[in-house]
Short mmCIF file of all heavy atoms in Angstrom, two decimals:
data_model
loop_
_atom_site.label_atom_id
_atom_site.label_comp_id
_atom_site.label_asym_id
_atom_site.label_seq_id
_atom_site.Cartn_x
_atom_site.Cartn_y
_atom_site.Cartn_z
N MET P 1 0.44 -3.18 -12.97
CA MET P 1 -0.05 -4.28 -12.28
C MET P 1 -1.24 -4.88 -13.19
O MET P 1 -2.21 -4.14 -13.51
CB MET P 1 -0.58 -3.83 -10.91
CG MET P 1 -1.13 -5.15 -10.18
SD MET P 1 -1.57 -4.47 -8.47
CE MET P 1 -1.98 -6.12 -7.71
N SER P 2 -1.34 -6.19 -13.45
CA SER P 2 -2.17 -6.73 -14.33
C SER P 2 -3.64 -6.87 -13.81
O SER P 2 -4.58 -7.10 -14.43
CB SER P 2 -1.71 -8.10 -14.80
OG SER P 2 -1.54 -8.88 -13.75
N THR P 3 -3.70 -6.75 -12.45
CA THR P 3 -5.25 -7.03 -11.86
C THR P 3 -5.94 -5.78 -11.81
O THR P 3 -7.02 -5.78 -11.32
CB THR P 3 -4.99 -7.59 -10.43
OG1 THR P 3 -4.22 -6.53 -9.61
CG2 THR P 3 -4.33 -8.91 -10.36
N VAL P 4 -5.40 -4.54 -12.28
CA VAL P 4 -6.15 -3.34 -12.39
C VAL P 4 -6.96 -3.34 -13.61
O VAL P 4 -6.52 -3.55 -14.64
CB VAL P 4 -5.03 -2.14 -12.29
CG1 VAL P 4 -5.86 -0.74 -12.43
CG2 VAL P 4 -4.25 -2.06 -11.20
N PRO P 5 -8.36 -3.07 -13.36
CA PRO P 5 -9.06 -3.04 -14.52
C PRO P 5 -8.76 -2.02 -15.57
O PRO P 5 -8.37 -0.92 -15.23
CB PRO P 5 -10.53 -2.71 -13.84
CG PRO P 5 -10.35 -2.95 -12.54
CD PRO P 5 -8.88 -2.81 -12.14
N LYS P 6 -9.06 -2.38 -16.81
CA LYS P 6 -8.77 -1.38 -17.95
C LYS P 6 -9.90 -0.53 -18.27
O LYS P 6 -9.79 0.61 -18.59
CB LYS P 6 -8.39 -2.16 -19.19
CG LYS P 6 -7.23 -3.08 -18.93
CD LYS P 6 -6.06 -2.89 -19.93
CE LYS P 6 -4.93 -3.72 -19.78
NZ LYS P 6 -4.16 -3.55 -18.59
N ASP P 7 -11.16 -1.05 -18.03
CA ASP P 7 -12.40 -0.32 -18.30
C ASP P 7 -12.46 0.89 -17.36
O ASP P 7 -12.38 0.50 -16.07
CB ASP P 7 -13.58 -1.14 -18.25
CG ASP P 7 -14.92 -0.39 -18.49
OD1 ASP P 7 -15.42 0.09 -17.43
OD2 ASP P 7 -15.27 -0.32 -19.65
N PRO P 8 -12.52 2.23 -17.72
CA PRO P 8 -12.62 3.30 -16.78
C PRO P 8 -13.70 3.20 -15.77
O PRO P 8 -13.47 3.59 -14.61
CB PRO P 8 -12.78 4.50 -17.64
CG PRO P 8 -12.52 4.07 -19.10
CD PRO P 8 -12.76 2.57 -19.14
N VAL P 9 -14.84 2.70 -16.08
CA VAL P 9 -16.03 2.75 -15.04
C VAL P 9 -15.63 1.61 -13.92
O VAL P 9 -15.86 1.87 -12.85
CB VAL P 9 -17.34 2.40 -15.76
CG1 VAL P 9 -18.42 2.25 -14.75
CG2 VAL P 9 -17.63 3.62 -16.67
N ILE P 10 -15.21 0.53 -14.47
CA ILE P 10 -14.71 -0.52 -13.47
C ILE P 10 -13.60 -0.08 -12.66
O ILE P 10 -13.58 -0.29 -11.50
CB ILE P 10 -14.66 -1.89 -14.26
CG1 ILE P 10 -15.89 -2.38 -14.82
CG2 ILE P 10 -14.06 -3.01 -13.19
CD1 ILE P 10 -15.88 -3.60 -15.75
N LEU P 11 -12.68 0.56 -13.41
CA LEU P 11 -11.43 1.09 -12.68
C LEU P 11 -11.94 2.09 -11.54
O LEU P 11 -11.31 2.10 -10.43
CB LEU P 11 -10.66 1.79 -13.66
CG LEU P 11 -9.38 2.43 -13.11
CD1 LEU P 11 -8.33 1.43 -12.36
CD2 LEU P 11 -8.58 3.16 -14.20
N LEU P 12 -12.87 2.95 -11.76
CA LEU P 12 -13.36 3.97 -10.85
C LEU P 12 -13.84 3.20 -9.64
O LEU P 12 -13.40 3.50 -8.48
CB LEU P 12 -14.47 4.67 -11.46
CG LEU P 12 -15.23 5.63 -10.52
CD1 LEU P 12 -14.27 6.75 -9.92
CD2 LEU P 12 -16.47 6.27 -11.24
N SER P 13 -14.66 2.15 -9.82
CA SER P 13 -15.17 1.37 -8.69
C SER P 13 -13.99 0.70 -7.95
O SER P 13 -14.01 0.75 -6.68
CB SER P 13 -16.15 0.38 -9.17
OG SER P 13 -16.66 -0.49 -8.15
N PHE P 14 -13.05 0.11 -8.65
CA PHE P 14 -12.02 -0.58 -8.17
C PHE P 14 -11.16 0.37 -7.22
O PHE P 14 -10.92 0.13 -6.05
CB PHE P 14 -11.02 -1.15 -9.20
CG PHE P 14 -9.77 -1.69 -8.78
CD1 PHE P 14 -9.68 -2.95 -8.27
CD2 PHE P 14 -8.61 -0.86 -8.83
CE1 PHE P 14 -8.36 -3.40 -8.02
CE2 PHE P 14 -7.43 -1.35 -8.52
CZ PHE P 14 -7.24 -2.70 -7.93
N LEU P 15 -10.83 1.60 -7.76
CA LEU P 15 -10.05 2.63 -7.08
C LEU P 15 -10.71 3.08 -5.77
O LEU P 15 -10.14 3.09 -4.66
CB LEU P 15 -9.72 3.66 -7.97
CG LEU P 15 -8.65 3.44 -9.07
CD1 LEU P 15 -8.58 4.55 -10.00
CD2 LEU P 15 -7.36 3.01 -8.56
N ASN P 16 -12.03 3.37 -5.88
CA ASN P 16 -12.72 3.87 -4.76
C ASN P 16 -12.88 2.91 -3.60
O ASN P 16 -12.74 3.08 -2.38
CB ASN P 16 -14.15 4.49 -5.12
CG ASN P 16 -13.99 5.86 -5.68
OD1 ASN P 16 -13.11 6.60 -5.38
ND2 ASN P 16 -15.02 6.33 -6.33
N THR P 17 -13.08 1.65 -4.04
CA THR P 17 -13.12 0.56 -3.04
C THR P 17 -11.69 0.41 -2.25
O THR P 17 -11.65 0.32 -1.24
CB THR P 17 -13.46 -0.75 -3.66
OG1 THR P 17 -14.84 -0.65 -4.26
CG2 THR P 17 -13.56 -2.00 -2.70
N LYS P 18 -10.64 0.33 -3.10
CA LYS P 18 -9.36 0.27 -2.51
C LYS P 18 -9.05 1.49 -1.63
O LYS P 18 -8.50 1.33 -0.41
CB LYS P 18 -8.27 0.25 -3.66
CG LYS P 18 -8.26 -1.15 -4.34
CD LYS P 18 -7.73 -2.25 -3.58
CE LYS P 18 -7.44 -3.48 -4.34
NZ LYS P 18 -6.98 -4.53 -3.52
N LEU P 19 -9.45 2.66 -2.11
CA LEU P 19 -9.15 3.87 -1.29
C LEU P 19 -9.96 3.82 0.05
O LEU P 19 -9.47 4.11 1.03
CB LEU P 19 -9.49 5.14 -1.99
CG LEU P 19 -8.67 5.40 -3.23
CD1 LEU P 19 -9.17 6.52 -4.03
CD2 LEU P 19 -7.20 5.89 -2.59
N ARG P 20 -11.21 3.40 0.01
CA ARG P 20 -12.03 3.33 1.27
C ARG P 20 -11.51 2.22 2.12
O ARG P 20 -11.50 2.33 3.29
CB ARG P 20 -13.47 2.95 0.70
CG ARG P 20 -14.47 2.76 2.01
CD ARG P 20 -15.74 2.31 1.51
NE ARG P 20 -15.59 0.96 1.27
CZ ARG P 20 -16.35 0.21 0.11
NH1 ARG P 20 -17.13 0.98 -0.58
NH2 ARG P 20 -16.11 -0.98 -0.02
N ASP P 21 -11.13 1.09 1.61
CA ASP P 21 -10.89 0.02 2.52
C ASP P 21 -9.32 -0.31 2.91
O ASP P 21 -9.14 -0.89 3.95
CB ASP P 21 -11.29 -1.31 1.83
CG ASP P 21 -12.77 -1.53 1.67
OD1 ASP P 21 -13.50 -0.68 2.22
OD2 ASP P 21 -13.22 -2.26 0.84
N HIS P 22 -8.43 0.29 2.10
CA HIS P 22 -7.07 -0.05 2.34
C HIS P 22 -5.99 1.08 2.28
O HIS P 22 -4.96 1.01 2.83
CB HIS P 22 -6.58 -1.07 1.26
CG HIS P 22 -7.34 -2.21 1.29
ND1 HIS P 22 -7.37 -3.25 2.24
CD2 HIS P 22 -8.30 -2.76 0.36
CE1 HIS P 22 -8.24 -4.26 1.94
NE2 HIS P 22 -8.76 -3.88 0.87
N TYR P 23 -6.38 2.29 1.76
CA TYR P 23 -5.29 3.30 1.46
C TYR P 23 -5.82 4.70 2.11
O TYR P 23 -6.88 5.01 1.99
CB TYR P 23 -4.96 3.38 0.09
CG TYR P 23 -4.26 2.21 -0.41
CD1 TYR P 23 -5.09 1.25 -1.20
CD2 TYR P 23 -3.07 1.92 -0.27
CE1 TYR P 23 -4.48 0.10 -1.62
CE2 TYR P 23 -2.36 0.81 -0.68
CZ TYR P 23 -3.11 -0.23 -1.49
OH TYR P 23 -2.61 -1.36 -1.87
N SER P 24 -4.83 5.38 2.70
CA SER P 24 -5.22 6.76 3.18
C SER P 24 -5.18 7.85 2.13
O SER P 24 -5.58 8.93 2.32
CB SER P 24 -4.19 7.00 4.32
OG SER P 24 -2.93 7.08 3.81
N SER P 25 -4.58 7.51 0.90
CA SER P 25 -4.45 8.48 -0.15
C SER P 25 -4.24 7.85 -1.53
O SER P 25 -3.88 6.58 -1.54
CB SER P 25 -3.41 9.41 0.14
OG SER P 25 -2.08 8.76 -0.03
N LEU P 26 -4.49 8.50 -2.66
CA LEU P 26 -4.30 8.03 -3.87
C LEU P 26 -2.85 7.81 -4.13
O LEU P 26 -2.45 6.74 -4.63
CB LEU P 26 -4.78 8.97 -4.97
CG LEU P 26 -4.62 8.62 -6.32
CD1 LEU P 26 -5.30 7.18 -6.67
CD2 LEU P 26 -5.08 9.52 -7.28
N SER P 27 -2.00 8.65 -3.56
CA SER P 27 -0.53 8.43 -3.68
C SER P 27 -0.08 7.11 -3.05
O SER P 27 0.78 6.52 -3.57
CB SER P 27 0.23 9.66 -3.03
OG SER P 27 -0.09 10.76 -3.73
N ALA P 28 -0.64 6.73 -1.88
CA ALA P 28 -0.19 5.70 -1.19
C ALA P 28 -0.70 4.42 -1.94
O ALA P 28 0.15 3.40 -2.14
CB ALA P 28 -0.92 5.52 0.18
N LEU P 29 -1.80 4.33 -2.52
CA LEU P 29 -2.24 3.41 -3.48
C LEU P 29 -1.34 3.26 -4.64
O LEU P 29 -1.12 2.05 -4.94
CB LEU P 29 -3.78 3.63 -3.89
CG LEU P 29 -4.44 2.57 -4.83
CD1 LEU P 29 -5.97 2.65 -4.56
CD2 LEU P 29 -4.14 2.85 -6.38
N CYS P 30 -1.13 4.30 -5.31
CA CYS P 30 -0.28 4.21 -6.53
C CYS P 30 1.10 3.76 -6.15
O CYS P 30 1.68 2.87 -6.93
CB CYS P 30 -0.14 5.62 -7.20
SG CYS P 30 -1.76 6.08 -8.00
N GLU P 31 1.61 4.09 -5.18
CA GLU P 31 3.02 3.79 -4.65
C GLU P 31 3.02 2.12 -4.45
O GLU P 31 3.81 1.41 -4.90
CB GLU P 31 3.50 4.48 -3.46
CG GLU P 31 4.92 4.11 -3.08
CD GLU P 31 5.43 4.85 -1.89
OE1 GLU P 31 4.99 5.91 -1.74
OE2 GLU P 31 6.27 4.31 -1.09
N ASP P 32 1.96 1.78 -3.66
CA ASP P 32 1.92 0.36 -3.25
C ASP P 32 1.64 -0.66 -4.54
O ASP P 32 2.30 -1.73 -4.62
CB ASP P 32 0.79 0.07 -2.22
CG ASP P 32 0.78 -1.35 -1.69
OD1 ASP P 32 1.82 -1.80 -1.37
OD2 ASP P 32 -0.31 -1.82 -1.52
N LEU P 33 0.80 -0.13 -5.47
CA LEU P 33 0.44 -1.03 -6.61
C LEU P 33 1.26 -0.66 -7.78
O LEU P 33 1.11 -1.33 -8.92
CB LEU P 33 -1.12 -0.84 -6.91
CG LEU P 33 -2.03 -1.24 -5.88
CD1 LEU P 33 -3.48 -0.93 -6.31
CD2 LEU P 33 -1.83 -2.54 -5.37
N GLU P 34 2.28 0.31 -7.73
CA GLU P 34 3.20 0.62 -8.84
C GLU P 34 2.48 1.17 -10.00
O GLU P 34 2.70 0.57 -11.09
CB GLU P 34 4.14 -0.55 -9.10
CG GLU P 34 4.99 -0.88 -7.97
CD GLU P 34 5.94 -2.16 -8.29
OE1 GLU P 34 5.77 -2.72 -9.29
OE2 GLU P 34 6.73 -2.46 -7.35
N LEU P 35 1.52 2.18 -9.65
CA LEU P 35 0.74 2.68 -10.73
C LEU P 35 1.21 4.19 -10.95
O LEU P 35 1.63 4.81 -9.94
CB LEU P 35 -0.79 2.60 -10.45
CG LEU P 35 -1.34 1.23 -10.20
CD1 LEU P 35 -2.70 1.27 -9.65
CD2 LEU P 35 -1.28 0.49 -11.52
N ASP P 36 0.99 4.80 -12.11
CA ASP P 36 1.19 6.10 -12.33
C ASP P 36 -0.02 6.88 -11.99
O ASP P 36 -1.08 6.82 -12.55
CB ASP P 36 1.57 6.28 -13.88
CG ASP P 36 1.92 7.74 -14.15
OD1 ASP P 36 1.04 8.61 -14.16
OD2 ASP P 36 3.13 7.92 -14.48
N GLU P 37 0.18 7.81 -10.96
CA GLU P 37 -0.92 8.55 -10.47
C GLU P 37 -1.55 9.42 -11.56
O GLU P 37 -2.82 9.55 -11.73
CB GLU P 37 -0.57 9.34 -9.26
CG GLU P 37 -1.66 9.99 -8.57
CD GLU P 37 -1.18 10.75 -7.20
OE1 GLU P 37 -0.12 10.29 -6.69
OE2 GLU P 37 -1.98 11.66 -6.81
N ASN P 38 -0.70 10.14 -12.19
CA ASN P 38 -1.23 11.01 -13.32
C ASN P 38 -2.05 10.26 -14.45
O ASN P 38 -3.07 10.81 -14.90
CB ASN P 38 -0.15 11.89 -13.92
CG ASN P 38 0.36 12.85 -12.98
OD1 ASN P 38 -0.33 13.34 -12.20
ND2 ASN P 38 1.67 13.16 -13.11
N GLN P 39 -1.59 9.11 -14.76
CA GLN P 39 -2.28 8.29 -15.79
C GLN P 39 -3.61 7.88 -15.31
O GLN P 39 -4.73 7.90 -15.99
CB GLN P 39 -1.41 7.09 -16.18
CG GLN P 39 -0.38 7.45 -17.11
CD GLN P 39 0.33 6.29 -17.69
OE1 GLN P 39 0.28 5.14 -17.00
NE2 GLN P 39 1.28 6.29 -18.66
N LEU P 40 -3.71 7.49 -14.04
CA LEU P 40 -4.97 7.08 -13.35
C LEU P 40 -6.00 8.32 -13.41
O LEU P 40 -7.15 8.15 -13.73
CB LEU P 40 -4.77 6.61 -11.99
CG LEU P 40 -4.32 5.18 -11.73
CD1 LEU P 40 -4.05 4.91 -10.37
CD2 LEU P 40 -5.20 4.21 -12.41
N LYS P 41 -5.54 9.37 -12.95
CA LYS P 41 -6.26 10.61 -12.94
C LYS P 41 -6.78 11.06 -14.33
O LYS P 41 -8.02 11.35 -14.44
CB LYS P 41 -5.56 11.79 -12.25
CG LYS P 41 -5.41 11.69 -10.80
CD LYS P 41 -4.64 12.84 -10.25
CE LYS P 41 -4.46 12.91 -8.87
NZ LYS P 41 -3.65 14.03 -8.39
N GLU P 42 -6.04 10.84 -15.34
CA GLU P 42 -6.46 11.14 -16.56
C GLU P 42 -7.54 10.28 -17.14
O GLU P 42 -8.49 10.65 -17.81
CB GLU P 42 -5.22 11.20 -17.53
CG GLU P 42 -4.35 12.39 -17.42
CD GLU P 42 -3.02 12.30 -18.26
OE1 GLU P 42 -3.03 11.53 -19.21
OE2 GLU P 42 -2.17 13.09 -18.06
N LYS P 43 -7.24 9.00 -16.94
CA LYS P 43 -8.22 7.94 -17.36
C LYS P 43 -9.60 8.13 -16.69
O LYS P 43 -10.70 7.98 -17.39
CB LYS P 43 -7.77 6.47 -17.07
CG LYS P 43 -8.52 5.49 -17.74
CD LYS P 43 -7.69 4.16 -17.77
CE LYS P 43 -8.32 3.12 -18.57
NZ LYS P 43 -7.59 1.97 -18.82
N ILE P 44 -9.58 8.40 -15.36
CA ILE P 44 -10.88 8.64 -14.66
C ILE P 44 -11.50 9.99 -15.05
O ILE P 44 -12.79 10.00 -15.16
CB ILE P 44 -10.65 8.56 -13.17
CG1 ILE P 44 -10.04 7.21 -12.77
CG2 ILE P 44 -11.87 8.82 -12.35
CD1 ILE P 44 -11.10 5.95 -13.13
N ALA P 45 -10.66 10.97 -15.35
CA ALA P 45 -11.20 12.27 -15.71
C ALA P 45 -11.97 12.21 -17.03
O ALA P 45 -12.92 12.92 -17.29
CB ALA P 45 -10.02 13.34 -15.89
N ALA P 46 -11.53 11.24 -17.78
CA ALA P 46 -12.19 10.99 -19.20
C ALA P 46 -13.61 10.59 -19.03
O ALA P 46 -14.41 10.83 -19.94
CB ALA P 46 -11.39 9.97 -19.91
N ILE P 47 -14.02 10.04 -17.81
CA ILE P 47 -15.43 9.79 -17.75
C ILE P 47 -16.10 10.67 -16.69
O ILE P 47 -17.15 10.41 -16.03
CB ILE P 47 -15.50 8.29 -17.07
CG1 ILE P 47 -14.86 7.97 -15.91
CG2 ILE P 47 -15.20 7.31 -18.37
CD1 ILE P 47 -15.15 6.73 -15.16
N GLY P 48 -15.46 11.84 -16.46
CA GLY P 48 -15.90 12.98 -15.62
C GLY P 48 -15.86 12.90 -14.06
O GLY P 48 -16.62 13.58 -13.45
N TYR P 49 -14.78 12.24 -13.67
CA TYR P 49 -14.54 12.13 -12.26
C TYR P 49 -13.09 12.78 -11.89
O TYR P 49 -12.22 12.64 -12.69
CB TYR P 49 -14.50 10.67 -11.72
CG TYR P 49 -15.99 10.17 -11.70
CD1 TYR P 49 -16.48 9.64 -12.79
CD2 TYR P 49 -16.80 10.22 -10.53
CE1 TYR P 49 -17.81 9.06 -12.82
CE2 TYR P 49 -18.01 9.55 -10.58
CZ TYR P 49 -18.62 9.09 -11.69
OH TYR P 49 -19.87 8.65 -11.72
N THR P 50 -13.06 13.29 -10.68
CA THR P 50 -11.75 13.81 -10.22
C THR P 50 -11.54 13.32 -8.79
O THR P 50 -12.50 12.98 -8.11
CB THR P 50 -11.71 15.31 -10.21
OG1 THR P 50 -12.80 15.78 -9.41
CG2 THR P 50 -11.89 15.91 -11.67
N TYR P 51 -10.20 13.17 -8.44
CA TYR P 51 -9.87 12.78 -7.16
C TYR P 51 -10.09 13.90 -6.08
O TYR P 51 -9.58 15.00 -6.37
CB TYR P 51 -8.47 12.20 -7.06
CG TYR P 51 -8.04 11.89 -5.83
CD1 TYR P 51 -8.61 10.70 -5.14
CD2 TYR P 51 -6.96 12.45 -5.04
CE1 TYR P 51 -8.11 10.24 -3.91
CE2 TYR P 51 -6.74 12.12 -3.77
CZ TYR P 51 -7.23 10.90 -3.21
OH TYR P 51 -6.88 10.50 -1.95
N ASP P 52 -10.84 13.58 -5.05
CA ASP P 52 -10.98 14.56 -3.93
C ASP P 52 -10.12 14.04 -2.77
O ASP P 52 -10.65 13.12 -2.16
CB ASP P 52 -12.44 14.66 -3.59
CG ASP P 52 -12.70 15.61 -2.53
OD1 ASP P 52 -11.99 15.72 -1.50
OD2 ASP P 52 -13.78 16.33 -2.53
N SER P 53 -9.03 14.76 -2.44
CA SER P 53 -8.20 14.30 -1.34
C SER P 53 -8.93 14.42 0.06
O SER P 53 -8.58 13.55 1.04
CB SER P 53 -6.95 15.15 -1.40
OG SER P 53 -7.09 16.43 -1.19
N ASP P 54 -9.81 15.32 0.30
CA ASP P 54 -10.41 15.34 1.46
C ASP P 54 -11.27 14.11 1.73
O ASP P 54 -11.46 13.65 2.97
CB ASP P 54 -11.29 16.69 1.61
CG ASP P 54 -10.35 17.93 1.59
OD1 ASP P 54 -9.30 17.78 2.16
OD2 ASP P 54 -10.95 18.90 1.17
N ARG P 55 -11.91 13.61 0.71
CA ARG P 55 -12.87 12.54 0.89
C ARG P 55 -12.13 11.23 0.58
O ARG P 55 -12.70 10.10 0.86
CB ARG P 55 -14.00 12.60 -0.16
CG ARG P 55 -15.04 13.72 0.16
CD ARG P 55 -16.16 13.71 -0.74
NE ARG P 55 -17.18 14.67 -0.44
CZ ARG P 55 -18.30 14.66 -1.13
NH1 ARG P 55 -18.63 13.87 -2.14
NH2 ARG P 55 -19.19 15.62 -0.74
N ASN P 56 -10.92 11.35 -0.05
CA ASN P 56 -10.04 10.20 -0.41
C ASN P 56 -10.92 9.33 -1.30
O ASN P 56 -11.06 8.09 -1.10
CB ASN P 56 -9.54 9.32 0.76
CG ASN P 56 -8.58 8.41 0.37
OD1 ASN P 56 -7.79 8.63 -0.56
ND2 ASN P 56 -8.46 7.21 1.13
N GLN P 57 -11.54 9.92 -2.43
CA GLN P 57 -12.24 9.12 -3.37
C GLN P 57 -12.38 9.96 -4.67
O GLN P 57 -12.17 11.11 -4.64
CB GLN P 57 -13.52 8.72 -2.90
CG GLN P 57 -14.69 9.84 -2.60
CD GLN P 57 -15.89 9.33 -2.20
OE1 GLN P 57 -15.91 8.65 -1.14
NE2 GLN P 57 -16.94 9.70 -2.76
N PHE P 58 -12.60 9.30 -5.68
CA PHE P 58 -13.07 9.88 -6.94
C PHE P 58 -14.52 10.29 -6.96
O PHE P 58 -15.29 9.46 -6.58
CB PHE P 58 -12.70 9.04 -8.12
CG PHE P 58 -11.26 8.92 -8.52
CD1 PHE P 58 -10.49 7.87 -7.90
CD2 PHE P 58 -10.63 9.89 -9.24
CE1 PHE P 58 -9.17 7.84 -8.08
CE2 PHE P 58 -9.25 9.82 -9.56
CZ PHE P 58 -8.51 8.81 -8.89
N ILE P 59 -14.82 11.62 -7.24
CA ILE P 59 -16.13 12.05 -7.19
C ILE P 59 -16.55 12.68 -8.47
O ILE P 59 -15.65 13.03 -9.21
CB ILE P 59 -16.43 12.92 -6.06
CG1 ILE P 59 -15.54 14.23 -6.02
CG2 ILE P 59 -16.45 12.15 -4.75
CD1 ILE P 59 -15.94 15.18 -5.03
#
């Protein structure tokens, strides 16, 4: 999807906002936006964050 930010820090903010406001899980977000969940996790991990399913956000 072309509207997903490429910069990892902006992507982090984008994902956490989407997770908070629209999706019950990262899997649901990825399925809806047709994104690869593992690639997203790797890109965000590169800046020191991981997905916490209990909080439904990257921390």
Side-chain angles (χ1 to χ4, degrees):
M1 181 173 188
S2 63
T3 61
V4 176
K6 303 236 184 287
D7 179 271
V9 176
I10 297 171
L11 177 61
L12 172 67
S13 178
F14 171 84
L15 292 173
N16 276 342
T17 299
K18 289 286 190 186
L19 289 166
R20 180 190 69 219
D21 295 345
H22 303 288
Y23 296 98
S24 61
S25 69
L26 181 59
S27 296
L29 179 149
C30 289
E31 183 177 329
D32 188 46
L33 299 180
E34 298 178 356
L35 301 171
D36 183 289
E37 186 172 342
N38 289 328
Q39 285 180 346
L40 282 180
K41 286 180 176 180
E42 288 175 13
K43 193 164 190 174
I44 298 301
I47 60 169
Y49 290 81
T50 58
Y51 179 68
D52 182 321
S53 60
D54 292 333
R55 292 183 176 188
N56 191 35
Q57 71 183 51
F58 286 91
I59 56 171

